[in-house]
Amino acid sequence: MTRKTGEMFLKRELLPFFWCSGCGNGIIMGCIFRAMEESGLSRENTVVVTGIGCWGKADDYFTTHAFHGTHGRALAVATGIKSANPSLDVIALVGDGDGATIGGNHLIHAARRNADITVIMSNNNNYGMTGGQYSGTTPFGAITSTSRYGHAEDEFDVSELVKTAGAGYVAKGTIANPLQLQKFIEKAFQKRNGFRFVEAMNICPTYYGKNNKTGNAPEMIEKLRKNTVEIKTARAAEPHELKGKIIVGEYADKEVDGFIKRYKEIQKKASVVSRK
Amino acid sequence: MAKIAVDYKLCKKCGICAAFCPRKVYSFNALDGLKAAREKECVACEKCVIMCPDFAIRVIREKG
């Protein structure tokens, strides 16, 4: 049996990718391509929406339809596309700066509304494209271009945030375990209604790695792998054991009514009232 | 047995494939770049294909 590669979704003629050497975005791309093929998404019926940032360039390499939005507004655009044509599969690709920091409000409200889109966040703990400034997911004490002596604030746990906001499916994986990440993305694609959110913990060897002296790309991925705890293990563990750890797994997996379904019901109600 | 095809136009010399190969098939350093030095050891698990961020590696399975 040959492994599914999802190559039909990749614009191979545009390679090499625009990203730096060792950037994990390419690994996430591979996971998305394979998951798309596994879950039977078609090129003609899929729209990939991105914002701005390193991960925002990802839509260039898809053979599907694509929409490149403004910074932080990828989810607003994606919700609009899905509402206008509910038969489309809409995938929004957001970074941590795009999705959790500048577009943080869009993220929680799209989750609360359960807009029927899949969101894949590449979280590399800083703003990579503009030179490694701190973002909403930069951990406390980390050195970035805008926190030369250590970051004073705590970071968001974006997956917990989206889960609390009411999303139907929330999972977190890392690029150190691409097969698990692919499984989460596949499950998100197959659910087909409600807000589905997959956070991929990524590395930024060019800025975050260099500033914090965490080594080159393979060393950073190895550290990421060692720093992860499965969610089942985490539930049984003491809070002090989990400090600074990345908890991977499915945060939420429940059946919800998506925004489209609910809105159609309201439309029906309204049309009956207006006829009277 | 498997054959490894590295596309050197796409390879950005990050060394992820060499670091994560369970059979240590690749030799890698910053000067010489990447080579599939011990190709005979390859069991075609395709971990390098999945971990390569630049789609630069193909593993071709050979029968037998």
Side-chain angles (χ1 to χ4, degrees):
Chain A
M1 199 189 84
T2 50
R3 194 173 56 85
K4 286 188 171 114
T5 58
E7 281 262 337
M8 70 274 227
F9 298 110
L10 170 68
K11 276 188 191 157
R12 206 166 244 285
E13 68 273 17
L14 289 188
L15 294 184
F17 286 131
F18 135 102
W19 301 309
C20 307
S21 166
C23 175
N25 282 352
I27 301 175
I28 307 174
M29 289 288 270
C31 293
I32 297 172
F33 291 144
R34 290 190 297 274
M36 281 169 85
E37 188 175 346
E38 290 278 356
S39 27
L41 265 59
S42 73
R43 288 192 299 194
E44 297 77 18
N45 207 41
T46 308
V47 187
V48 175
V49 183
T50 59
I52 304 295
C54 290
W55 190 222
K57 285 284 282 179
D59 67 317
D60 291 1
Y61 305 105
F62 279 86
T63 54
T64 62
H65 301 283
F67 193 101
H68 195 94
T70 49
H71 201 1
R73 317 297 170 224
L75 296 174
V77 173
T79 311
I81 293 172
K82 183 73 186 180
S83 308
N85 188 352
S87 65
L88 294 171
D89 290 308
V90 182
I91 305 167
L93 305 178
V94 294
D96 57 310
D98 199 37
T101 316
I102 289 184
N105 223 18
H106 290 292
L107 183 72
I108 53 174
H109 286 284
R112 176 184 61 80
R113 183 182 284 148
N114 259 309
D116 302 71
I117 53 177
T118 309
V119 179
I120 296 153
M121 176 178 279
S122 160
N123 184 351
N124 63 1
N125 304 117
N126 69 165
Y127 283 94
M129 187 183 251
T130 49
Q133 292 85 355
Y134 65 75
S135 78
T137 59
T138 305
F140 170 68
I143 293 160
T144 65
S145 308
T146 40
S147 60
R148 296 309 302 168
Y149 301 96
H151 190 36
E153 304 158 14
D154 277 330
E155 77 273 26
F156 265 141
D157 185 341
V158 189
S159 292
E160 280 291 349
L161 180 74
V162 176
K163 180 193 164 190
T164 311
Y169 183 77
V170 183
K172 190 193 282 193
T174 72
I175 57 156
N177 192 346
L179 292 180
Q180 186 196 40
L181 181 62
Q182 184 194 331
K183 204 182 76 194
F184 292 150
I185 298 173
E186 252 174 67
K187 203 163 172 193
F189 286 153
Q190 281 158 4
K191 275 185 86 78
R192 303 224 171 216
N193 64 358
F195 189 80
R196 292 143 285 163
F197 181 83
V198 181
E199 185 184 2
M201 296 306 289
N202 196 358
I203 56 166
C204 180
T206 303
Y207 291 112
Y208 194 83
K210 219 167 262 175
N211 282 330
N212 292 285
K213 299 193 171 51
T214 47
N216 57 17
E219 285 164 5
M220 284 184 86
I221 297 181
E222 187 57 25
K223 274 178 193 155
L224 194 63
R225 190 180 69 77
K226 282 187 181 152
N227 207 19
T228 54
V229 183
E230 285 290 328
I231 197 159
K232 278 174 201 154
T233 324
R235 278 189 189 128
E238 298 288 325
H240 70 268
E241 290 172 352
L242 298 173
K243 213 173 176 193
K245 296 278 184 192
I246 297 163
I247 300 165
V248 295
E250 289 175 330
Y251 282 63
D253 184 6
K254 57 184 181 189
E255 281 307 315
V256 288
D257 286 343
F259 171 70
I260 301 290
K261 193 186 163 197
R262 284 197 182 176
Y263 195 68
K264 274 188 178 157
E265 279 165 15
I266 300 286
Q267 272 179 330
K268 248 184 232 167
K269 232 186 248 177
S271 65
V272 171
V273 174
S274 62
R275 256 183 241 141
K276 272 180 187 170
Chain B
M1 266 293 278
K3 215 174 150 37
I4 298 165
V6 180
D7 188 339
Y8 289 101
K9 278 182 191 158
L10 301 184
C11 177
K12 288 179 188 158
K13 300 186 178 65
C14 63
I16 291 176
C17 52
F20 288 92
C21 176
R23 305 276 290 186
K24 301 285 164 229
V25 167
Y26 297 96
S27 72
F28 173 79
N29 66 56
L31 277 177
D32 300 336
L34 177 73
K35 267 187 197 127
R38 289 172 292 277
E39 208 176 11
K40 279 180 189 164
E41 296 287 312
C42 179
V43 290
C45 70
E46 301 200 342
K47 190 163 186 185
C48 52
V49 179
I50 291 169
M51 290 296 275
C52 176
D54 289 286
F55 293 82
I57 304 173
R58 265 182 198 169
V59 175
I60 302 141
R61 282 163 197 261
E62 284 174 4
K63 281 173 191 168

